[in-house]
Amino acid sequence: MISNNYKEDTSYKYRWNQKELLGKILSGTLDEDLYISDLRINKTPPAYWFQNPIFRGACFSGRHKLRVDVTLENYHPNVQSWFEYCNASELIFSIKLERPGENYTNLAINSFCRYSELETVDIRFLDKLRLSGVNTAFLNMPNLKTVILRCYYQIALGGDYFLSGDSPNINVVVLDSPEVATLPNIQHLTRAPAFAEGGPGGTIYIPQSLYDHLGDGSSYDYKSATNWATVDAYGTITWAPIEGSEYELK
Amino acid sequence: MIYTEVFFINGKSFTKTWSDTGYVMRDNISYKEANDPTELNRTYVEVPAPKEEDEADPDEVLEALGGVL
């Protein structure tokens, strides 16, 4: 189970009242890091809420961090386009389901932050939510270097890809899940130049429990997993444990 | 129909498996194209491609927002 214990980063402050905050976001004069805690959505989540007009385009002046914690009071299977065109440099996005079922519930993040200026994206699905699709989530993001998925289980389905050639600088992926993530075909990874055959290489961080068994044949791991084994054979993946790294949640 | 093809990377043999009508599935997980070390002898069944999720109506934005912030 993914731990939801984390230390609150005091560099994120939510100090303004709603009207002031909205004014700063819409005018592009928000000049500090922003943390919106416990944003509750009590109806079918709007696909374009964060895209139009709230976090679309130049809501920040200068490079800043954005953190948004959302609670969905009603379930909808597709979180789509929420941070398109966002001009923050780093995004932490946590989502919880108000009334989780006994079994895990699937959620897709299609078109999630494409066309944005983000350099780092950290997506946290806690409380019995698991990622079921990342169709074009990270498309055309020239500044994107690091993708972090913290969820119970990841599947990337759909016609377009998890990592895109239009986001050519991705070279760090963090898969913070206790199970091996599914890769529907190798292009979901190799469209990122770092991981392609002959590419300069990149680093993939995985839990220590999976890292410990890499390639020893004792269990299903990334070196034997479907499609992962093929990309691993290219020699462009450096595996590293999340624990003890800068990506460990503490 | 399911197809397979053997290829090599750095001297190691891999088998590619795919379907011309949808996805291939093993252990209840679907793949558009499955590439596996040949020695593992993995077998797949053919499944139709899943239905694409419809994009939400943009008009839902204001109604669902309801002044929440």
Side-chain angles (χ1 to χ4, degrees):
Chain A
M1 182 71 69
I2 300 295
S3 169
N4 64 350
N5 295 320
Y6 53 84
K7 183 179 177 181
E8 201 166 280
D9 186 341
T10 56
S11 69
Y12 293 90
K13 295 294 181 186
Y14 178 34
R15 298 182 292 108
W16 303 285
N17 64 32
Q18 293 179 20
K19 191 174 178 182
E20 281 181 1
L21 175 62
L22 194 57
K24 283 182 176 290
I25 292 173
L26 294 179
S27 65
T29 59
L30 194 58
D31 58 359
E32 290 188 49
D33 297 344
L34 175 64
Y35 178 16
I36 298 179
S37 62
D38 200 23
L39 173 66
R40 303 182 70 86
I41 298 179
N42 60 4
K43 297 184 183 180
T44 302
Y48 298 98
W49 192 88
F50 285 97
Q51 173 200 6
N52 183 20
I54 303 297
F55 289 108
R56 182 171 188 168
C59 38
F60 290 92
S61 61
R63 294 174 67 252
H64 291 294
K65 299 177 184 177
L66 172 63
R67 175 170 171 168
V68 182
D69 294 348
V70 172
T71 298
L72 294 181
E73 296 180 2
N74 291 306
Y75 168 67
H76 187 275
N78 192 349
V79 174
Q80 183 170 298
S81 308
W82 282 31
F83 296 95
E84 281 190 355
Y85 304 101
C86 177
N87 73 332
S89 61
E90 177 181 323
L91 169 67
I92 296 177
F93 178 68
S94 296
I95 188 166
K96 290 171 138 179
L97 193 59
E98 176 92 303
R99 287 182 288 275
E102 290 186 1
N103 298 313
Y104 278 79
T105 302
N106 293 333
L107 191 76
I109 55 166
N110 297 337
S111 311
F112 186 61
C113 51
R114 62 183 180 178
Y115 309 124
S116 70
E117 298 178 32
L118 293 163
E119 299 170 15
T120 300
V121 179
D122 183 342
I123 299 172
R124 304 176 183 182
F125 288 174
L126 310 173
D127 298 340
K128 291 192 179 294
L129 276 173
R130 64 183 180 186
L131 185 60
S132 65
V134 286
N135 192 9
T136 68
F138 310 110
L139 179 71
N140 208 328
M141 297 169 65
N143 298 334
L144 186 63
K145 298 185 182 65
T146 303
V147 176
I148 304 169
L149 298 179
R150 305 186 196 271
C151 24
Y152 182 77
Y153 185 41
Q154 305 101 30
I155 298 178
L157 292 173
D160 292 305
Y161 299 105
F162 172 39
L163 301 183
S164 166
D166 293 326
S167 306
N169 294 309
I170 299 172
N171 61 9
V172 175
V173 176
V174 180
L175 300 173
D176 193 355
S177 165
E179 294 187 0
V180 173
T182 297
L183 205 60
N185 59 53
I186 63 171
Q187 285 79 18
H188 277 272
L189 199 62
T190 61
R191 297 253 304 188
F195 298 108
E197 186 176 16
T203 305
I204 298 183
Y205 289 83
I206 56 177
Q208 185 81 46
S209 58
L210 295 175
Y211 179 81
D212 286 345
H213 294 296
L214 276 177
D216 68 1
S218 64
S219 61
Y220 188 71
D221 65 10
Y222 282 99
K223 279 188 177 286
S224 63
T226 299
N227 294 325
W228 286 107
T230 307
V231 183
D232 184 65
Y234 290 152
T236 53
I237 299 177
T238 299
W239 300 100
I242 294 173
E243 291 84 346
S245 77
E246 63 188 282
Y247 304 108
E248 181 179 15
L249 283 183
K250 293 175 183 171
Chain B
M1 183 172 174
I2 288 184
Y3 296 88
T4 61
E5 178 183 295
V6 175
F7 62 99
F8 294 85
I9 300 175
N10 295 325
K12 182 169 181 178
S13 176
F14 291 86
T15 300
K16 179 168 70 177
T17 308
W18 74 98
S19 162
D20 60 354
T21 59
Y23 284 65
V24 293
M25 178 183 281
R26 178 177 61 81
D27 293 338
N28 222 27
I29 297 173
S30 296
Y31 301 91
K32 196 167 181 179
E33 180 184 284
N35 295 274
D36 297 288
T38 303
E39 71 209 36
L40 296 178
N41 291 316
R42 288 176 175 151
T43 57
Y44 294 82
V45 296
E46 196 170 24
V47 292
K51 185 176 177 227
E52 292 281 334
E53 193 68 43
D54 291 332
E55 288 200 7
D57 185 346
D59 288 338
E60 292 177 357
V61 174
L62 294 176
E63 182 182 354
L65 179 57
V68 180
L69 236 191

